Amino acid sequence: MFIFKAFRAIDNEELCLEFLEGHWNVLKEYGVTKVTSARRDWISNPHVYVIVVIDAEEKRVVSGMRLHLAHEDYPLPMETAIAEVDKSIHCVVANYRENITGEIGGLWNSRSIAGYGIGIKFLIRCGIVLAEQLKMGTLLALCAEHTLGSCLDKGFEIEMGVGNSGKFNYPKIDLVATAAVIKDLVNLPLALAEEREEIFKLRKSLNCESVYSTSRGEMHIKYELEL
């Protein structure tokens, strides 16, 4: 069984450090040593929320993702990353911030759970659920090539106002990242019907248990998403 646990970063330093260690280990496997989402200053940021995935049997964090609420004193990770090549990202975020916005990012999975779809499928759903719980109007993401499709399925659209039609070479010159946004978090009009249904179910039952079929067989998830 996997436990998806949501919390405010400043309320649980121990789990934040486990998240950080796991994230760094994954990045190093891919030869990435400089990426804004892997910095550790977010641990003391009062506007950051975290979702960790805990392997209940092994009692260790095997995956995770963060949600940063936008605040003028705490730039979003994507602002720091994109501003190096396009400073207009600050204006874009400022406009969305008027109706409360933020960014999901720092998504990682340990190789031991590959094939379950935990990050690319389930964690992104949970991030959207968390954003709605925080009364956000919009939600941003800087998507890697392998996560963009899943984000679009869940209601994101490409943010065309920055970069080369929303695209950047990041975090390395041979990797492409795409800025994306959900402009209607309440109704998710651009999401696939099945994704919208799953997200709405989680909104109604933030703390629940479900069993899913995956390429690796049945997967039991216990959600603890209520803040």
Side-chain angles (χ1 to χ4, degrees):
M1 181 171 70
F2 296 104
I3 301 170
F4 283 53
K5 181 177 180 62
F7 58 94
R8 194 180 182 196
I10 60 174
D11 294 335
N12 197 323
E13 183 180 12
E14 182 180 352
L15 279 180
C16 285
L17 291 174
E18 287 189 50
F19 176 110
L20 192 67
E21 181 181 6
H23 192 193
W24 264 116
N25 288 338
V26 170
L27 288 173
K28 285 188 290 186
E29 288 179 358
Y30 287 96
V32 177
T33 57
K34 181 182 179 182
V35 56
T36 56
S37 64
R39 291 165 53 177
R40 62 175 297 151
D41 53 356
W42 57 266
I43 295 177
S44 58
N45 183 338
H47 306 288
V48 173
Y49 294 81
V50 184
I51 304 173
V52 294
V53 179
I54 301 169
D55 184 317
E57 183 176 342
E58 298 185 6
K59 294 182 172 55
R60 67 184 182 94
V61 174
V62 293
S63 182
M65 184 178 66
R66 302 194 310 273
L67 188 155
H68 290 238
L69 282 173
H71 189 281
E72 58 185 3
D73 295 331
Y74 295 89
L76 295 177
M78 68 186 301
E79 286 187 83
T80 304
I82 293 175
E84 296 180 7
V85 293
D86 188 348
K87 295 188 182 302
S88 67
I89 183 62
H90 295 305
C91 293
V92 171
V93 172
N95 289 335
Y96 286 129
R97 197 170 62 222
E98 293 178 3
N99 191 29
I100 308 180
T101 195
E103 173 191 357
I104 55 170
L107 175 63
W108 64 275
N109 286 311
S110 65
R111 289 192 173 181
S112 65
I113 60 169
Y116 283 118
I118 282 179
I120 202 168
K121 186 173 184 178
F122 297 99
L123 267 178
I124 296 174
R125 284 179 188 164
C126 291
I128 295 171
V129 170
L130 194 60
E132 197 267 346
Q133 190 181 169
L134 292 168
K135 308 300 181 185
M136 294 168 60
T138 58
L139 180 63
L140 295 156
L142 188 57
C143 307
E145 290 180 281
H146 68 282
T147 60
L148 178 59
S150 185
C151 285
L152 296 178
D153 289 347
K154 293 169 178 58
F156 281 89
E157 59 185 287
I158 296 174
E159 173 51 66
M160 306 293 286
V162 291
N164 181 13
S165 298
K167 296 186 180 297
F168 305 84
N169 290 107
Y170 179 83
K172 299 195 300 181
I173 192 64
D174 58 339
L175 296 177
V176 177
T178 304
V181 59
I182 296 178
K183 295 182 179 179
D184 182 354
L185 267 171
V186 174
N187 299 301
L188 302 176
L190 300 182
L192 296 180
E194 57 266 32
E195 289 291 347
R196 189 185 304 112
E197 181 181 353
E198 290 295 329
I199 292 167
F200 284 3
K201 281 182 183 178
L202 281 176
R203 286 179 178 176
K204 292 179 180 178
S205 302
L206 296 170
N207 300 326
C208 63
E209 295 187 25
S210 296
V211 177
Y212 303 90
S213 295
T214 76
S215 62
R216 290 183 58 172
E218 283 194 347
M219 176 176 65
H220 186 180
I221 292 180
K222 181 180 181 181
Y223 293 102
E224 298 179 358
L225 300 180
E226 186 173 8
L227 295 171

